[in-house]
Amino acid sequence: MAMFSVSGRFLGFLLLLIHTAPFGAQPLVNCAIVVESASGLKQQYDYIVVGGGTSGLTVANRLTEDRSGTLRERYLSSSDENDLTVLTTYSFANQEQRDKLEPGVLVPGLPAPAEYSRNYMSVPQPGLNNRTQAVYSAAAVGGGTVINGLFFNRGSAADYDAWEKLGNHGWGWKGLLPYFKKAWNSIGVPSNPQPNAGRAVDAFYSTLSISALNQSRSSADTAYFRPIAVQTVRAGKEVIVAAGAPRSPQILQLSGIGHKKLVADLGIEVIEDLPGVGYNFHDQPAMFTQATYDYSKYPFPSPAWFFSNQSWSAQQLAVYYENRTGPLTQAYLSGTTVAFLSLRTLTPNYTSLLSFFHTTDPAPLLPPESDPSLLEGYRAQQRILLSDYASPDTAVHELAASGQETIPLVLLRPLSRGSILVNTSDPLADPVFDYNTFGHPIDIKIFIHIYKTYRRFIAAEPWKAVGLTEVLPGPAVPGDADLEIEKAIRNLTQSTWSHPVGSCAMMPRRLGGVVDARLRVYGIGGLRVVDASIMPIVPGSHTSSTVYAVAEKWERTLV
């Protein structure tokens, strides 16, 4: 079994280098050592965490909890490993100073600064009329929790039981629930027994990742990095890759871990022939419809007021800072009202869809170079999702409508699977992102029913009372014409709801898996992956809460 090491050539990631040493307990952000040149690094650390996002900071937090140790942070951004740029972090004297320094990050109702996002592009998507699609990534300590939409919900029990059915013992709902609770306690989010008790369907008010203490955004940075008390780390040198679903497979492939032909053809030494690396990549396709309202009939402030009424906007910001109340305590241009709907709710003819699903051969739906193990894993997922789609307790669609002009329609658990593959040995080059959106025909068929449900929804009397009018796709698309609806979906849908998963899937190796149920990379000693890339099937929810739970559960895999 090969051992894994990390060099300074993996660039653009926060490396958390954890080494055992006596150290007093105090917030980690205050005692982290910023190293300004390679000469300041030790030759060996007990743990190297590649990535400073949601899972990376959670892992680092738990490694240093109730132990003694030091943690060094590096942000690598140059092709020369001896020329390294430091990512500076700040410690704030008080809440007021902190809020006013980074209002777009900490005030829930303000947009996150653009400089905290790093976006890439996919290859053209045949299922979306050959449009390229964005691949969103955060460029901040704390990762997506610094810039996301703040929704902090769990999927249904069946979403996680599906992981266990794929051969991952202990990763079902009952096995993950304690770690959901642990994460929620850590970030200070108030808990409501519903809808987070295992049946995340129908309409409800979603929990947001906002601190109950001060009504500011709670991110992995504030919850897991700044308050860490640094004590001991375990013995047993490991590298923990936590670079996120878009980048973790790239790191493995550049290290010689992946499909043998892919790696060898690029002149990279093959360390482990692991065909699943980079495959099984998927996200939740989202169509962003647009509506207008008759604001003369709108008896209360709307999200549009933030643009049309500057004095009111300034007043609300002052109210937020003074009292921690008002509309800025909600997510930017949004709210908490949401519906997660089952296939049965979308259409009474769901059985005909399931019959079509059951008879669809998955073999032609995967890339032609796919290893036979990937097809076996895909068949296993299809069998599980066929059962879940028939259940009234499993959501396939998210509809969020809180008075904003953009109303997103989301397919939560698609069957289409794409890939993230390197095409050069240059670590500075982006990999090739392919969502393969609507690659499985069942996805577009379900989406047509999603759109029909939305049309019925906006035709309801309460919306008429405020003059809601759809302008995109608009009345030119009849609500009952499947072909016209499909055209609109393919023209307007985006491949991503910013919840990419699956590219280093936790499944048995014979099913194309990359990591086992202890998150260890197959065939490699001392290497684990701990981030959204290990989720074999995306849950029917937003993924932030689940990423925290995965990272919390990781510590148990060390035992």
Side-chain angles (χ1 to χ4, degrees), residues 346-524:
L346 293 181
T347 172
N349 298 320
Y350 70 94
T351 54
S352 63
L353 282 174
L354 296 178
S355 296
F356 173 80
F357 186 177
H358 182 71
T359 57
T360 302
D361 181 8
L365 307 179
L366 294 180
E369 75 277 7
S370 298
D371 186 83
S373 64
L374 296 176
L375 178 57
E376 289 305 307
Y378 195 38
R379 291 185 191 278
Q381 291 189 22
Q382 181 166 301
R383 288 191 294 269
I384 292 169
L385 287 174
L386 177 63
S387 173
D388 287 351
Y389 280 6
S391 170
D393 298 327
T394 305
V396 300
H397 167 47
E398 175 185 350
L399 171 62
S402 297
Q404 69 273 32
E405 294 181 351
T406 298
I407 303 177
L409 313 178
V410 185
L411 175 61
L412 291 172
R413 302 184 80 199
L415 251 294
S416 302
R417 296 293 181 267
S419 60
I420 301 173
L421 304 174
V422 295
N423 63 351
T424 172
S425 59
D426 180 2
L428 292 177
D430 294 336
V432 178
F433 299 101
D434 185 359
Y435 288 104
N436 190 29
T437 305
F438 296 140
H440 195 298
I442 193 67
D443 289 349
I444 190 69
K445 288 182 176 293
I446 293 176
F447 219 114
I448 289 171
H449 287 286
I450 287 173
Y451 185 77
K452 289 180 176 180
T453 300
Y454 155 74
R455 274 293 185 85
R456 294 194 299 270
F457 172 68
I458 63 173
E461 287 300 323
W463 291 116
K464 291 180 181 179
V466 293
L468 184 150
T469 301
E470 182 194 65
V471 295
L472 188 71
V477 178
D480 57 354
D482 286 11
L483 288 179
E484 294 301 315
I485 292 173
E486 180 177 341
K487 288 179 183 178
I489 292 170
R490 293 190 186 277
N491 282 329
L492 297 174
T493 297
Q494 296 184 12
S495 294
T496 176
W497 192 220
S498 298
H499 302 146
V501 305
S503 50
C504 294
M506 177 177 59
M507 293 192 295
R509 188 166 186 168
R510 62 180 176 80
L511 297 181
V514 176
V515 301
D516 64 15
R518 295 178 64 185
L519 306 184
R520 300 173 299 187
V521 176
Y522 289 115
I524 305 292

Side-chain angles (χ1 to χ4, degrees), residues 113-455:
E115 61 265 29
Y116 291 154
S117 297
R118 184 188 291 115
N119 301 331
Y120 314 98
M121 296 304 294
S122 75
V123 297
Q125 298 295 290
L128 299 176
N129 295 330
N130 288 319
R131 292 182 292 122
T132 58
Q133 297 293 298
V135 181
Y136 298 111
S137 179
V141 177
T145 58
V146 177
I147 62 172
N148 67 14
L150 292 166
F151 265 56
F152 201 70
N153 62 321
R154 308 167 190 163
S156 291
D159 294 341
Y160 307 104
D161 290 343
W163 298 3
E164 192 160 42
K165 291 175 183 176
L166 287 168
N168 302 305
H169 179 70
W171 285 89
W173 169 255
K174 291 182 179 179
L176 270 175
L177 183 57
Y179 303 99
F180 276 117
K181 293 179 177 179
K182 187 175 183 181
W184 284 44
N185 289 336
S186 294
I187 72 169
V189 173
S191 179
N192 183 348
Q194 297 291 347
N196 296 301
R199 189 177 182 273
V201 292
D202 303 327
F204 52 82
Y205 293 107
S206 177
T207 309
L208 301 181
S209 52
I210 295 175
S211 171
L213 180 64
N214 56 23
Q215 295 301 306
S216 65
R217 175 188 289 269
S218 183
S219 68
D221 176 31
T222 57
Y224 283 85
F225 184 54
R226 299 184 185 277
I228 293 177
V230 181
Q231 299 185 13
T232 304
V233 295
R234 296 177 186 268
K237 312 164 179 69
E238 279 197 351
V239 173
I240 298 105
V241 177
R247 289 296 187 172
S248 287
Q250 179 192 20
I251 291 176
L252 297 187
Q253 291 164 0
L254 290 175
S255 304
I257 304 168
H259 195 294
K260 181 178 180 179
K261 186 177 187 307
L262 171 74
V263 172
D265 284 354
L266 295 175
I268 301 171
E269 179 186 359
V270 179
I271 303 301
E272 186 69 24
D273 181 14
L274 199 54
V277 175
Y279 290 91
N280 194 56
F281 172 52
H282 57 291
D283 202 327
Q284 298 162 328
M287 179 181 182
F288 294 87
T289 68
Q290 297 290 322
T292 60
Y293 301 86
D294 182 350
Y295 289 111
S296 66
K297 300 179 179 179
Y298 217 85
F300 39 80
S302 75
W305 283 33
F306 283 109
F307 303 103
S308 62
N309 192 331
Q310 296 302 312
S311 61
W312 179 84
S313 297
Q315 180 186 37
Q316 296 313 307
L317 186 59
V319 167
Y320 174 83
Y321 283 137
E322 180 69 23
N323 303 321
R324 303 291 166 171
T325 58
L328 289 177
T329 61
Q330 297 296 303
Y332 177 60
L333 296 184
S334 184
T336 61
T337 307
V338 68
F340 287 82
L341 306 181
S342 69
L343 187 61
R344 291 189 182 202
T345 302
L346 293 181
T347 172
N349 298 320
Y350 70 94
T351 54
S352 63
L353 282 174
L354 296 178
S355 296
F356 173 80
F357 186 177
H358 182 71
T359 57
T360 302
D361 181 8
L365 307 179
L366 294 180
E369 75 277 7
S370 298
D371 186 83
S373 64
L374 296 176
L375 178 57
E376 289 305 307
Y378 195 38
R379 291 185 191 278
Q381 291 189 22
Q382 181 166 301
R383 288 191 294 269
I384 292 169
L385 287 174
L386 177 63
S387 173
D388 287 351
Y389 280 6
S391 170
D393 298 327
T394 305
V396 300
H397 167 47
E398 175 185 350
L399 171 62
S402 297
Q404 69 273 32
E405 294 181 351
T406 298
I407 303 177
L409 313 178
V410 185
L411 175 61
L412 291 172
R413 302 184 80 199
L415 251 294
S416 302
R417 296 293 181 267
S419 60
I420 301 173
L421 304 174
V422 295
N423 63 351
T424 172
S425 59
D426 180 2
L428 292 177
D430 294 336
V432 178
F433 299 101
D434 185 359
Y435 288 104
N436 190 29
T437 305
F438 296 140
H440 195 298
I442 193 67
D443 289 349
I444 190 69
K445 288 182 176 293
I446 293 176
F447 219 114
I448 289 171
H449 287 286
I450 287 173
Y451 185 77
K452 289 180 176 180
T453 300
Y454 155 74
R455 274 293 185 85

